[in-house]
Amino acid sequence: MRAFLLFLFWILGSQAHAQEIEARAYSNAPIGINFASFGIAQASSSSYKLTSEAASYTRILDVAGQSGKITLVLPYAQLSGTGKIGSQSINATSEGLSDPLIKASVNLYGAPALTLDQFKNYQQDLIIGASLAASIPWGQYNNEQMINVGANRWFIQPGVGASQAVGPWRFELAGAATIYTSNNSFLGGNTLSQNPIYSTQTHVIYYFPSTAWISVDATYYVGGQTYINSMPVSGSQENWRFGATFSYPINQQNFIRINGSTGTYSRTNNSYDLIGISWQYRWGGGI
């Protein structure tokens, strides 16, 4: 199960939540296991650089006989870049705690809730699941500057997905909608609003005999037109991203994960490159 989640912020074009590429979001694991992780990542484009450190906690649950999980993420970030209002460019920096995130998911089919001993005989076939994520606008925010590491607004993100096993391979497909509330304190007393972003992502994953795994990832999203005081300031977005993830087990309890991705097409020229590394520790559930 993925324990480290990287979440960027609306200043990157308000699309980074939709652009997140998460392999193995719908997979099975023994109930009662806990994951703690810490990771660092950097995203950059021609107009900004964001360094983000995040700590997270995940617990595997029994949800009406199927496996589920709940994840809490606490990020910290340093952001510098250039924003534009009309033809005026604004250079700024921001650093501090970012908006925490909570995500719950449940596997609806194909991933029964199993103890560690029962899980040893489990063989995945088809898994179908659903999820719901939400940000909490507690991050640092200054309404006198354009660039912030907190968004001063909520988002919710319902999603569905499926994972099909074929020998050591996993083929995954997932979709989500990211829905934003308004920021009513944008650059003073202005109101920033945004249409929902609709995204889909796919992964091809290979498991090595050592339980290490590698994936090739892609995501596509569309939507997210933004408005200030009900006046449109950007067009609808349409982007493609591709990336890869590698997870290596140091021992039964410790794992290292490396991931990277890049934007390959952007209708509104807001693609970015990302690279990250995280450490994960698991315990409980009979390990």
Side-chain angles (χ1 to χ4, degrees):
M1 305 292 284
R2 185 180 187 196
F4 172 65
L5 305 176
L6 177 67
F7 294 93
L8 306 182
F9 314 100
W10 76 264
I11 192 60
L12 308 189
S14 302
Q15 83 289 358
H17 300 288
Q19 286 196 64
E20 187 202 14
I21 307 178
E22 181 186 354
R24 301 178 73 246
Y26 301 100
S27 59
N28 203 358
I31 60 173
I33 290 182
N34 306 279
F35 297 87
S37 69
F38 176 81
I40 183 169
Q42 187 172 89
S44 60
S45 75
S46 59
S47 59
Y48 67 82
K49 179 184 291 184
L50 170 69
T51 302
S52 178
E53 302 85 30
S56 69
Y57 168 75
T58 298
R59 182 171 175 83
I60 309 302
L61 308 169
D62 181 340
V63 182
Q66 295 288 321
S67 68
K69 66 177 178 180
I70 187 165
T71 298
L72 305 173
V73 183
L74 183 63
Y76 187 93
Q78 305 86 40
L79 176 62
S80 61
T82 302
K84 269 195 171 184
I85 299 180
S87 61
Q88 181 182 5
S89 296
I90 301 174
N91 297 314
T93 61
S94 182
E95 178 177 353
L97 290 174
S98 303
D99 295 340
L101 186 135
I102 182 169
K103 182 176 182 178
S105 63
V106 59
N107 293 312
L108 305 173
Y109 175 84
L114 303 172
T115 65
L116 183 62
D117 288 339
Q118 293 170 330
F119 193 80
K120 294 175 182 178
N121 298 317
Y122 170 75
Q123 296 291 325
Q124 180 184 329
D125 186 16
L126 173 65
I127 293 176
I128 299 173
S131 64
L132 182 65
S135 71
I136 305 170
W138 291 349
Q140 181 173 304
Y141 183 78
N142 181 348
N143 68 0
E144 296 181 355
Q145 66 183 36
M146 186 174 186
I147 292 180
N148 285 279
V149 294
N152 195 43
R153 62 176 181 176
W154 293 77
F155 83 79
I156 61 170
Q157 187 183 69
V160 294
S163 173
Q164 177 66 58
V166 181
W169 297 88
R170 302 292 184 272
F171 300 92
E172 299 183 345
L173 180 65
T178 307
I179 304 164
Y180 303 91
T181 63
S182 296
N183 175 0
N184 295 315
S185 186
F186 178 69
L187 292 179
N190 296 293
T191 297
L192 174 73
S193 57
Q194 185 173 9
N195 292 343
I197 292 177
Y198 303 97
S199 62
T200 183
Q201 58 181 288
T202 185
H203 311 273
V204 177
I205 306 167
Y206 180 79
Y207 282 85
F208 298 94
S210 64
T211 71
W213 57 268
I214 189 169
S215 71
V216 177
D217 317 304
T219 185
Y220 168 81
Y221 76 94
V222 65
Q225 183 173 13
T226 55
Y227 304 83
I228 296 178
N229 300 328
S230 301
M231 298 295 293
V233 294
S234 74
S236 180
Q237 303 172 34
E238 183 182 12
N239 290 54
W240 278 97
R241 291 187 64 77
F242 291 89
T245 306
F246 177 66
S247 176
Y248 182 79
I250 299 173
N251 53 39
Q252 189 179 23
Q253 293 178 294
N254 293 276
F255 300 81
I256 294 291
R257 181 172 298 183
I258 301 171
N259 66 288
S261 63
T262 186
T264 58
Y265 168 77
S266 173
R267 176 190 292 173
T268 50
N269 195 30
N270 54 5
S271 291
Y272 60 90
D273 298 318
L274 182 147
I275 187 167
I277 185 170
S278 63
W279 163 81
Q280 181 186 84
Y281 175 76
R282 67 176 186 174
W283 76 97
I287 294 178

